[in-house]
Every structure is written in C-alpha cells, then in structure tokens.
Amino acid sequence: MSARTSLVAGNWKLNGTRASAVALAKDIAGGVEALGSEVLICPGFAHLGDVQAAIAGASVALGAQNCAAEASGAFTGEVAAPMVAEFGAQYVIVGHSERRALFGESSELVASKALAVQQANMQPIICVGETLEQRESGQLQSVLDEQLNAVIDKLGIAAIAHTVIAYEPVWAIGTGKSASSEQAQEVHSMIRKKLADLDESVAGNVRILYGGSVKPDNAEELFSQTDIDGGLIGGAALNAESFLAICQATD
Ligand code: PEP
C-alpha cells in the first residue's frame, strides 16, 4: 500500500467568464465534502482572484495552467510563479502538450518553469506524453526520457518528490479516446521505474496522474491501477457534476 493521496485536477484551459468560473468553483466547492482525495481546480489567470474567493474555506486547492520561467523582469505579457502564489495557489501545470505543441515550449523551458514554481513554494504538475506517431514508431520510452530527464537534471531527483507528474498521451487529450487502463498503467509503471532507478523513495512517493479523456464512466477503472494516483481532467472538469463524479472515483 502506498501512502500517496490521490489528486484530481481540473484544467479549465481558455474557458469561462468571471461569472461562470465563480459559479463552477462554487458548485465544485459545495460537493467535495468527505472525499478521500485532494481536489484541485486550475482556472485562467484572470479568474484566479475570483475563484480563490469562491472556494475560500472549502477543501479545494487552486492552481494555474502555466507560468513564466522568470520570477520578474522585462517579459511583457508573462505571469510569474510568485504572482500566482499570491492567490493562495498551490500548484501550477507546466509542459501541457498544448503549450509544447502550440507555443513551442521545449523540455528545457518546461524544466525551468517547474523550478520557478518550486522556488515560489508551489508544486509543479509536470505533463509528459507522446503523440500517436511517436507511439506507433516505437518512441514512447525515448520521448518520456527526454521530457523527464530535463526536469530531473534541472531540479535534481530529490526535488521530484515535491512535484506531480501527469502522463497525458497527446492522442487522448480532448479526443474522447482515452488510453485503456492497461496502456496507462504500463506507462505509469515505466515512469515510476525510471525514477526508482535513481531514488526508490522519490519514486514511491511521487504522484503520477493520468490525463486524456477521463470521464465519469472510465475514471474508476483508470484510478484503480497501482501506479495511477488520480487524474488531470480537461473537458469533463468544466461541468461540476461530471468533475465531482470523477473525484469520487478515487475513493
Ligand atoms: C487535458 O487537457 O489535460 C486533458 C486531459 O483534456 P481532456 O480531459 O479533455 O482530454
């Protein structure tokens, strides 16, 4: 038995108004009582303050979807990790595949962002995962190695204990086509083994989330796998009822 507490994180992406974000946050906050897992919501930057107020006193953590690698300076348009932390946020997602693919973020940059998040006393949720083409051409392990080695080199293996890793196969994100529980477990176990080769205690303690078309009807099977410690949820996190049903599936 591991001592890892499950985490279910909602990535709201570029969605919502101030009013709809507050309403969703309140609906989630009202439904999380008595859950054994940790629940996290990650609204857009502009909604962090309103959502922080909406979940005050509830067992819901707040996070951001991205941040700058730098803490301050002449970087017009960027949002720094210490700015996010000021809202009481505890987590920042880094290296989401949309950031890697659409905004050209390299694994090196993602690692710098993860470091910036830790330096602001929050935990990075480090996303890794392969495209369908990479999977089908046998590059799964090498893709994971490249993405994980960058953060291990930058943070040091001991600091990986204070991160969350999210395995998100790119082909499963927003497609409705989730990895099977066996496929997901296989990769989670590969990631944990890679970490165990460096530090068994870190590998045993770090939480590895699965992300990619998690829905209320497949969450329980995915979350019951030995090396899956919860989920990073996109589309289904925009509806309180389905998000709470997914949270319940960790129990
Ligand atoms: C995501 O964007 O991290 C994600 C997992 O999205 P979805 O649940 O919609 O596939």
Side-chain angles (χ1 to χ4, degrees), residues 25-220:
K26 283 190 172 159
D27 285 348
I28 291 167
V32 291
E33 281 312 308
L35 282 178
S37 61
E38 203 180 334
V39 174
L40 166 68
I41 52 178
C42 301
F45 288 130
H47 300 153
L48 281 172
D50 290 306
V51 170
Q52 179 190 24
I55 60 174
S59 301
V60 181
L62 185 65
Q65 301 166 22
N66 179 34
C67 70
E70 299 80 13
S72 64
F75 301 100
T76 302
E78 290 292 273
V79 176
M83 295 175 179
V84 172
E86 278 196 292
F87 291 98
Q90 296 170 50
Y91 295 92
V92 180
I93 300 168
V94 296
H96 190 281
S97 64
E98 287 153 14
R99 303 279 337 156
R100 293 180 191 262
L102 304 174
F103 300 94
E105 294 195 5
S106 65
S107 294
E108 165 110 64
L109 177 63
V110 172
S112 298
K113 291 184 174 196
L115 184 63
V117 172
Q118 287 199 330
Q119 286 172 341
N121 298 315
M122 298 179 290
Q123 285 199 40
I125 299 178
I126 302 159
C127 301
V128 297
E130 81 291 2
T131 63
L132 191 57
E133 201 187 358
Q134 289 166 335
R135 172 173 276 260
E136 287 177 344
S137 59
Q139 295 176 69
L140 174 60
Q141 181 76 64
S142 62
V143 168
L144 295 174
D145 283 344
E146 191 271 332
Q147 293 173 338
L148 288 168
N149 288 344
V151 277
I152 294 167
D153 290 349
K154 180 77 75 180
L155 272 57
I157 185 66
I160 298 295
H162 309 291
T163 70
V164 175
I165 295 170
Y167 169 57
E168 298 210 302
V170 179
W171 46 271
I173 297 179
T175 59
K177 190 181 165 212
S178 168
S180 68
S181 50
E182 294 78 18
Q183 281 174 319
Q185 166 57 28
E186 187 185 9
V187 180
H188 281 235
S189 138
M190 279 165 63
I191 293 172
R192 212 177 290 285
K193 183 175 178 317
K194 176 181 173 65
L195 298 176
D197 288 344
L198 299 168
D199 187 317
E200 282 210 19
S201 144
V202 167
N205 287 316
V206 73
R207 289 178 293 182
I208 308 178
L209 311 185
Y210 168 77
S213 298
V214 179
K215 308 283 178 222
D217 61 0
N218 62 9
E220 198 170 328

